[in-house]
């Protein structure tokens, strides 16, 4: 120890801590797969925070351990320690350093937030509204390309206006049983909207998402499809309009790093681009009753071609055989089976739920 | 200890010393009834809180057993939610807050400022006696299905499940809220008005500063919670629709009212513990606390900023973008005064002669846990990341590091430190070390894996989960068993030491604050002769001459 100057030791420790922190920031293994554009941004922010946190952790814990070891009382030593009460420069230093780090992180967070489209969730509103007359939506391939009118029309609906403008959808929804309001599609006020690149454009695909005890229901307003699991094309600009029937739920896809509460009586939304083909879990993150933990489904990210196919199949199936009772989607089946024993317990919502599920099954 | 003795008016008391001693101690049965002595009330608070800690802990073990497997097989899911709700509620409202503020606050504040009692002894006793009925209401609610909407009880869920139990839950919280308002008024008046004249503000022990800050915060925020809950009670029972979306109500308003109290409530829990840390570390490091002023002022700063961060609990809810940003920034700012405290404690260790008593072990353990909890807290302050992990096990991990690591460790440290003062007997150090090791290892095993569970996709408040999370959950459950087992050495130690432990001297740790200048346990009315303060509370290592000069 004697030969090595203290400054050299500090320098070495500093370099080691920096290297370890840099490494941990990249290899903490805490995040699942990235499957959306937002995920990339969020993960970068998190990695930076983990890096800073690791450095702080090592410095502070290191100091604690070092001091505990170095300054432990020798047996029989009843003296007191060195009476230092304070040190203004030192105190100013450790107020300033965290303050600077915090300001930096704050600015960075704001920037990520902006890039994710957090500033104006309602920005989808921009565009020309052309209500009605969009029967062509039954042709699924138009869904994501040149036909923005339909979605704009959907967006323009007043929140409590049950009637839907598109004829096809209106037809389909007409035979929804009483008490199951078709998901309204108001302009979302909360959540994430278009990011800078997509600002002013209408999204490629709009899906209305309804949470209810204990299932998610997905409605494709332009083609009238209703399903219990979400299907979307990869690389497209997707808008989810989220609402809830009974209590608060929360729509979360961990691989997308996106979450938004589904609020009864208020509209919220998420706009995002999925970047990776695959199947990911959709999780309800807000306590919504006994079977909150069972409120799970999945989002299937297709290639655009596959998605067109899926749309076509389902749209045709749902229009031509409205009374068909074959359940092709096991997700609903299991939901229903899963929930039926608890019908009693769920009270009010049970009726609604079983009606809706029956409806979904008959269509899908 | 250089302490001048000033004769009381009541000269007889001083003359007939032995006689006075006999008459100036409470008998055991005095602790079981209405009593207005702040020391009796303090111990009543502590013991009651500890009983609730055991009950709340039992509920936690129940939950962890359920979570040992992915399926809801150990308890029924609605019972799981009832356990979850009552665990959270009991731990916060009937353990940490009553133990730290009610228990140690009541016991120590008058002793530390040289007062004979609190300013309003009867108010004090009433405030305590509101707690047991609150606990009974919570436990009784299990006969009506148990409140199931979580300790946050967001409507509309809280309005449609188990209405009787939910109403009982609300009444319980309103009772403890009332109790804490009463206590807050009492502490503020006591600390401002009842200090011995020689105890100037710059010599006020940091624990008293912390209690002062806490009380001010409680006074501002608690009524808001009460208002929110009473509106909820009306919605459930009397047909109003403040929070019913289908009848024109707004569910988001409840969340604002709730978090306006409940975020500051986090500081209500942690500030007194910060105060305890500032008392304990200097004694065992044998050094003056580093940065007395910085610590005192940072408590006040935390209070002030703490009132403006509540929306960080609502980033994924009905929160407009500007709020997400404003509250990201304000949340991150709280980290600065908190960091100042941590650095000050660490600096206090530097150059000390550290005695590793059990109290000091818990204090250092707290530092370690709290650093991690604080760092994960910073990541949560950043809205874009919080949106990913909100309502997941990452949150559960974070707040248990802060609340278990931060508060429970601090309370244990306080118990080991002040036990000799309260009971007149020493605790067993060997058992204490075993207790510490089991607690430290158990807590990390239980709560560390939860970070990873949360970021990978496990939501909180679930009785069933995706099988991919099984292994880590089993590790958590194992840790929880270890935590439960850690109570065995502690309880044996406490009970045995209280009844047969070796007798303690008046000042076994050689500490400098005023409570150590009276007998162990202190007599009724605390002192024969009120002490005169001649030096600050932390002047360790300063020579007798230096002290005398002052
Ligand atoms: C004794 C060891 C403890 C264990 C094993 C434990 C375990 C748990 C578990 C498993 C949950 C449920 C998580 C979920 O399902 O979302 C939970 C929730 C909670 N715990 Fe603990 N806990 C312990 C101690 C504490 C302490 C000391 C506090 C102090 C304040 C505390 C406060 C809470 C709160 C506030 C909740 C949230 C309740 C809610 O979501 O409504 N816990 N704990
Ligand atoms: Cu849900
Ligand atoms: Cu849920």
């Amino acid at each position: 120890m004697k030969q090595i100057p203290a400054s050299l030791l500090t320098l070495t420790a500093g370099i080691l801590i920096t290297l370890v922190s840099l490494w941990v920031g990249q290899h903490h293994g805490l995040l699942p797969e990235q499957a959306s554009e937002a995920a990339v941004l969020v993960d970068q922010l998190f990695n930076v925070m983990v890096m800073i946190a690791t450095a702080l952790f090592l410095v502070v814990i290191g100091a604690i351990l070092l001091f505990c070891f170095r300054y432990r009382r020798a047996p029989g030593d009843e003296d007191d320690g060195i009476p230092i009460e304070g040190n203004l420069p030192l105190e100013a230093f450790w107020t300033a350093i965290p303050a600077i780090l915090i300001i930096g992180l704050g600015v960075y967070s704001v920037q990520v937030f902006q890039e994710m489209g957090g500033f104006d969730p309602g920005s989808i509103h921009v565009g020309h509204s052309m209500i009605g007359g969009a029967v062509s939506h039954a042709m699924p391939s138009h869904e994501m390309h040149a036909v923005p009118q339909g979605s704009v029309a959907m967006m323009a609906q007043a929140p409590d206006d049950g009637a839907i403008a598109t004829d096809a959808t209106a037809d389909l929804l007409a035979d929804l049983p009483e008490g199951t309001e078709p998901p309204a599609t108001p302009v979302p006020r909360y959540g994430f909207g278009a990011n800078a690149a997509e600002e002013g454009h209408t999204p490629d695909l709009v899906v209305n998402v309804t949470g209810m005890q204990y299932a998610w229901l997905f409605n494709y307003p332009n083609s009238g499809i209703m399903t219990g699991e979400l299907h979307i094309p990869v690389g497209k600009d997707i808008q989810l309009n989220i609402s809830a029937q009974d209590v608060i739920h929360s729509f979360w896809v961990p691989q997308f790093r996106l979450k938004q509460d589904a609020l009864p009586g208020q509209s919220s939304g998420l706009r995002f681009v999925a970047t990776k083909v695959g199947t990911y879990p959709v999780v309800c993150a807000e306590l919504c009753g006994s079977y909150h933990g069972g409120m799970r489904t999945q989002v299937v990210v297709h290639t655009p071609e596959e998605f067109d196919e899926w749309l076509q199949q389902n749209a045709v199936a749902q229009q031509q055989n409205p009374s068909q009772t074959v359940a092709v989607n096991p997700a609903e089946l299991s939901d229903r089976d899963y929930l039926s024993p608890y019908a009693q317990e769920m009270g009010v919502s049970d009726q609604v739920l079983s009606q809706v599920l029956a409806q979904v099954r008959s269509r899908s | 200890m250089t302490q001048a003795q000033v004769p009381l008016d009541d000269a007889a008391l001083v003359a007939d010393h032995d006689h006075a001693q006999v008459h100036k101690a409470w008998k055991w049965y005095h602790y079981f009834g209405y009593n207005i002595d702040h020391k009796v009330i303090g111990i009543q608070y502590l013991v009651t809180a500890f009983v609730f800690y055991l009950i709340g802990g039992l509920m936690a073990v129940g939950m962890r057993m359920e979570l040992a497997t992915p399926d809801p097989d150990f308890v029924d899911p609605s019972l799981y939610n009832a356990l979850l709700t009552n665990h959270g509620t009991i731990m916060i409202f009937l353990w940490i807050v009553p133990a730290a503020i009610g228990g140690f606050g009541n016991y120590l504040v008058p002793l530390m400022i040289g007062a004979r009692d609190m300013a309003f002894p009867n108010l004090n006793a009433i405030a305590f006696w509101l707690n047991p009925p609150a606990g009974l209401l919570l436990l009784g609610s299990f006969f009506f299905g148990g409140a199931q909407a979580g300790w946050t009880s967001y409507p509309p869920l809280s309005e449609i499940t188990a209405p009787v139990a939910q109403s009982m839950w609300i009444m319980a919280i309103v009772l403890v809220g009332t109790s804490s308002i009463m206590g807050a008024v009492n502490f503020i008046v006591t600390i401002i008005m009842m200090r011995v004249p020689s105890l100037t503000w710059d010599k006020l022990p940091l624990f008293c500063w912390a209690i002062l800050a806490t009380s001010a915060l409680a006074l501002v925020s608690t009524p808001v919670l009460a208002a929110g809950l009473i509106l909820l009670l009306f919605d459930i029972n009397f047909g109003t629709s403040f929070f019913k979306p289908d009848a024109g109500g707004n569910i988001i308003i409840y969340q604002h009212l709730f978090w306006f109290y409940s975020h500051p409530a986090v500081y209500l829990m942690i500030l007194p513990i910060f105060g305890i840390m500032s008392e304990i570390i200097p004694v065992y490091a044998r050094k003056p606390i580093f940065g007395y002023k910085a610590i005192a002022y940072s408590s006040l700063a935390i209070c002030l900023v703490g009132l403006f961060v509540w929306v960080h609990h609502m980033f994924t809810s009905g929160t407009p973008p500007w709020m997400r940003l404003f509250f990201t920034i304000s949340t991150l700012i709280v980290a600065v005064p908190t960091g100042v405290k941590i650095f000050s404690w660490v600096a206090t260790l530097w150059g000390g002669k550290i005695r590793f008593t059990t109290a000091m072990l818990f204090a250092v353990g707290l530092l370690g846990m709290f650093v991690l909890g604080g760092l994960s807290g910073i990541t949560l302050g950043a809205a874009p990341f919080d949106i990913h992990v909100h309502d997941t096990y990452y949150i559960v991990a974070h707040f248990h590091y802060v609340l278990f690591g931060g508060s429970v460790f601090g309370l244990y440290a306080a118990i080991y430190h002040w036990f000799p003062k309260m009971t007149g007997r020493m605790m067993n150090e060997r058992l204490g070390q075993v207790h510490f090791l089991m607690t430290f290892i158990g807590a990390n095993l239980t709560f560390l894996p939860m970070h990873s569970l949360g970021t990978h996709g496990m939501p909180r408040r679930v009785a069933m989960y995706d099988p991919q999370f099984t292994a880590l959950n089993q590790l958590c459950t194992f840790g929880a068993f270890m935590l439960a087992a850690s109570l065995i050495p502690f309880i044996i130690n406490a009970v045995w030491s209280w009844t047969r432990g070796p007798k303690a001297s008046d000042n076994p740790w050689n500490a400098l604050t005023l409570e150590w200048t009276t007998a162990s346990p202190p007599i009724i009315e605390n002192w024969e002769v009120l002490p005169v303060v001649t030096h600050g509370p932390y002047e360790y290592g300063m020579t007798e001459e230096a002290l005398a000069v002052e």
Side-chain angles (χ1 to χ4, degrees):
Chain A
M1 275 287 247
K2 283 257 170 55
Q3 308 88 301
I4 311 168
S7 58
L8 201 61
L9 275 180
T10 323
L11 189 69
T12 322
I15 293 173
L16 272 180
I17 289 174
T18 313
L19 290 178
V20 171
S21 308
L22 282 171
W23 190 86
V24 173
Q26 300 300 320
H27 299 87
H28 49 76
L30 280 173
L31 293 165
E33 214 177 328
Q34 297 174 337
S36 78
E37 282 180 355
V40 181
L41 301 168
V42 173
D43 290 5
Q44 275 165 1
L45 173 64
F46 183 63
N47 290 348
V48 169
M49 292 195 294
V50 170
M51 196 181 74
I52 295 175
T54 309
L56 287 174
F57 184 84
L58 290 177
V59 169
V60 179
I61 299 290
I64 294 172
L65 290 177
L66 187 72
F67 295 172
C68 281
F69 181 76
R70 174 95 172 63
Y71 298 108
R72 69 193 186 288
R73 184 184 65 111
D77 182 355
E78 293 301 325
D79 277 354
D80 287 346
I82 315 162
I84 330 161
E85 290 192 64
N87 180 332
L88 205 58
L90 198 57
E91 290 171 57
F93 175 77
W94 70 47
T95 312
I97 296 294
I100 292 169
L101 284 176
I102 288 305
I103 292 169
L105 275 183
V107 171
Y108 186 14
S109 304
V110 172
Q111 193 194 331
V112 169
F113 190 73
Q114 180 180 21
E115 278 181 61
M116 288 169 75
F119 273 125
D120 194 3
S123 65
I124 177 184
H125 206 37
V126 189
H128 327 275
S129 130
M130 210 181 106
I131 302 193
V135 193
S136 63
H137 291 322
M139 286 312 292
S141 54
H142 293 186
E143 182 86 25
M144 321 163 329
H145 306 300
V147 198
Q149 308 97 313
S151 45
V152 174
M154 298 310 301
M155 301 314 304
Q157 295 291 325
D160 47 357
D161 184 358
I164 304 277
T166 32
D167 300 341
T169 340
D171 269 343
L172 273 160
L173 290 170
D175 42 31
L176 265 179
E178 268 228 301
T180 48
E181 292 270 49
T185 51
V187 180
R189 289 172 55 211
Y190 307 121
F192 284 103
N195 63 27
E198 282 134 9
E199 192 108 39
H201 298 263
T202 44
D204 298 324
L205 170 69
V206 177
V207 183
N208 295 328
V209 181
T210 310
M212 66 191 77
Q213 285 174 320
Y214 302 97
W216 293 108
L217 187 62
F218 302 95
N219 169 27
Y220 293 70
N222 295 348
S223 41
I225 296 175
M226 284 237 206
T227 85
E229 60 180 35
L230 180 60
H231 290 257
I232 53 170
V234 72
K236 299 289 177 187
D237 183 13
I238 315 285
Q239 168 76 33
L240 303 182
N241 295 320
I242 304 175
S243 59
Q245 283 233 327
D246 34 35
V247 300
I248 306 175
H249 305 269
S250 190
F251 179 92
W252 181 34
V253 180
Q255 282 73 5
F256 292 176
R257 313 286 189 272
L258 286 173
K259 183 183 289 128
Q260 174 58 48
D261 288 6
L263 304 158
Q266 311 211 24
S267 53
S268 56
L270 285 178
R271 190 163 166 176
F272 62 94
V273 177
T275 51
K276 210 166 159 194
V277 173
T279 303
Y280 310 102
V282 173
V283 182
C284 173
E286 179 66 50
L287 177 60
C288 56
S290 305
Y291 289 87
H292 159 56
M295 185 163 166
R296 292 192 291 256
T297 179
Q298 51 194 16
V299 46
V300 184
V301 181
H302 297 278
T303 60
E305 300 74 41
E306 263 176 21
F307 180 73
D308 274 356
E309 216 169 284
W310 176 86
L311 260 189
Q312 205 132 19
Q313 276 172 5
N314 281 271
V316 169
Q318 293 200 356
Q319 296 215 7
Q320 291 181 343
N321 310 303
S323 56
Q324 188 186 350
T325 48
V326 183
V328 291
N329 185 344
E332 277 100 56
L333 233 194
S334 58
D335 264 343
R336 176 97 180 104
D337 289 353
Y338 184 63
L339 292 166
S340 49
Y342 313 109
Q344 215 68 19
E345 193 176 322
M346 291 190 294
V348 196
S349 57
D350 168 59
Q351 201 187 350
V352 175
L353 178 69
S354 51
Q355 281 170 342
V356 172
L357 284 177
Q359 201 71 26
V360 172
R361 274 168 87 197
S362 73
R363 293 229 167 85
S364 47
Chain B
M1 188 78 227
T2 44
Q3 205 89 95
Q5 305 277 298
V6 173
L8 269 185
D9 295 345
D10 192 353
L13 261 181
V14 184
D16 195 358
H17 188 266
D18 275 349
H19 176 77
Q21 277 292 37
V22 173
H23 283 265
K24 287 203 138 206
W26 296 107
K27 293 270 179 302
W28 64 269
Y29 47 82
H30 288 120
Y31 288 84
F32 289 85
Y34 186 87
N35 192 313
I36 57 170
D37 185 330
H38 72 97
K39 300 184 291 299
V40 177
I41 295 174
I43 289 179
Q44 285 175 328
Y45 261 117
L46 269 179
V47 173
T48 325
F50 201 81
V51 169
F52 281 116
Y53 178 57
L54 293 184
I55 297 173
L58 214 63
M59 293 175 174
V61 171
M63 286 190 282
R64 282 308 335 167
M65 278 164 78
E66 164 64 68
L67 295 171
T69 58
D71 295 324
D73 40 16
F74 178 68
V75 291
D76 172 83
S78 56
L79 179 58
Y80 179 88
N81 285 353
L83 289 174
L84 163 79
T85 305
N86 285 282
H87 162 77
T89 311
I90 285 177
M91 286 300 191
I92 290 174
F93 293 104
L94 289 166
W95 156 241
I96 289 193
V97 172
I101 309 180
F104 286 107
N106 264 305
Y107 197 93
L108 295 173
V109 164
L111 285 171
M112 281 183 167
I113 62 173
R116 296 200 177 278
D117 207 324
M118 296 283 284
F120 311 112
N122 269 299
L123 185 70
N124 204 16
I126 295 168
F128 166 72
W129 284 105
L130 292 178
N131 283 276
L136 291 181
L137 274 171
L138 285 183
L139 297 180
S141 74
F142 277 93
F143 295 104
F144 300 90
Q148 296 178 26
W151 85 283
T152 51
S153 282
Y154 281 1
L157 183 64
S158 54
E159 299 190 340
I160 61 173
T161 40
V164 178
Q166 193 67 41
S167 305
M168 292 167 84
W169 180 88
I170 293 174
M171 287 185 284
I173 306 292
V174 172
L175 279 179
V176 291
T178 312
S179 163
S180 91
I181 293 177
M182 289 173 164
V185 173
N186 215 342
F187 281 122
I188 292 177
V189 177
T190 305
I191 294 174
I192 295 180
M193 309 296 292
M194 313 255 303
R195 282 168 295 135
V196 279
S198 48
L199 185 69
T200 48
W201 283 109
D202 61 340
K203 293 196 165 64
L204 188 68
L206 287 165
F207 180 72
C208 300
W209 274 108
I211 293 285
L212 192 64
T214 312
S215 302
L217 196 58
L219 216 52
V220 177
S221 58
T222 317
V224 179
L225 173 74
L229 290 184
I230 288 170
L231 297 185
L232 186 64
L233 189 73
F234 273 51
D235 266 15
I236 297 175
N237 295 293
F238 307 116
T240 57
S241 49
F242 296 106
F243 308 128
K244 285 180 192 153
D246 44 1
N250 187 330
I251 50 175
I252 306 299
I253 304 286
Y254 173 87
Q255 301 185 2
H256 282 290
L257 293 175
F258 180 85
W259 287 114
F260 186 80
Y261 165 80
S262 290
H263 187 82
V266 175
Y267 304 114
L268 296 188
M269 292 176 241
I270 206 72
L271 280 174
I273 306 291
F274 286 173
I276 287 170
M277 290 290 282
S278 306
E279 296 302 325
I280 291 180
I281 290 185
V283 176
Y284 297 107
R286 309 307 303 169
K287 280 193 61 212
I289 187 96
F290 190 93
Y292 171 92
K293 285 212 182 90
I295 295 185
Y297 296 156
S298 62
S299 289
L300 302 179
I302 289 176
C303 266
L304 204 70
V305 187
L307 282 171
F308 295 96
V309 304
W310 77 92
V311 175
H312 67 211
H313 296 275
M314 300 167 61
F315 283 152
T316 68
S317 180
T319 307
W322 72 267
M323 268 197 197
R324 288 174 165 189
L325 293 180
F326 176 84
F327 286 93
T328 288
I329 306 293
S330 62
T331 301
L332 290 173
I333 287 174
V334 192
V336 176
T338 313
V340 166
K341 281 182 195 278
I342 306 250
F343 291 130
S344 300
W345 294 324
V346 177
T348 307
L349 297 177
W350 189 88
K353 303 244 165 143
I354 305 171
R355 289 186 286 176
F356 285 101
T357 57
T358 309
M360 189 63 171
L361 287 178
F362 272 107
V364 173
L366 183 152
L367 276 181
M369 303 283 287
F370 195 79
V371 168
L372 192 61
L375 291 172
S376 66
I378 293 180
T379 63
L380 294 174
F385 179 68
D386 176 77
I387 285 166
H388 173 51
V389 291
H390 174 70
D391 267 333
T392 69
Y393 262 80
Y394 189 86
I395 303 286
V396 180
H398 158 70
F399 71 70
H400 281 91
Y401 263 88
V402 177
L403 293 179
F404 194 100
S407 300
V408 177
F409 274 55
L411 286 172
Y412 278 138
I415 291 172
Y416 282 95
H417 182 63
W418 279 291
F419 191 88
K421 182 50 62 186
M422 294 178 163
T423 63
R425 291 175 191 272
M426 304 299 289
M427 285 185 97
N428 182 299
E429 284 292 320
R430 190 48 46 142
L431 277 173
Q433 285 160 2
V434 175
H435 175 212
F436 168 74
L437 266 185
M438 289 175 76
T439 311
F440 189 78
I441 299 172
N444 281 295
L445 274 181
T446 312
F447 302 120
L448 194 64
M450 292 183 181
H451 290 104
S452 168
L453 284 173
T455 50
H456 281 99
M458 179 161 162
R460 70 191 274 204
R461 297 169 165 176
V462 294
M464 56 205 101
Y465 55 85
D466 198 289
Q468 74 177 97
F469 301 124
T470 313
L472 284 182
N473 269 296
Q474 280 168 350
L475 195 59
C476 298
T477 301
F478 175 74
F481 284 131
M482 188 151 176
L483 274 181
S486 77
L487 284 169
I488 297 169
F490 174 69
I491 293 174
I492 294 176
N493 196 350
V495 173
W496 185 83
S497 302
W498 201 330
T499 49
R500 354 218 102 118
K503 287 252 190 282
S505 66
D506 289 355
N507 190 358
W509 314 123
N510 263 324
L512 292 182
T513 36
L514 286 184
E515 77 272 23
W516 301 102
T517 63
T518 180
S520 296
I523 53 174
I524 296 171
E525 305 246 297
N526 300 348
W527 282 278
E528 301 281 346
V529 186
L530 284 184
V532 170
V533 181
T534 54
H535 56 74
Y538 311 110
E539 298 183 347
Y540 299 98
M542 312 210 167
T543 58
E544 286 294 318
E545 300 92 87
L547 290 174
V549 169
E550 259 191 76

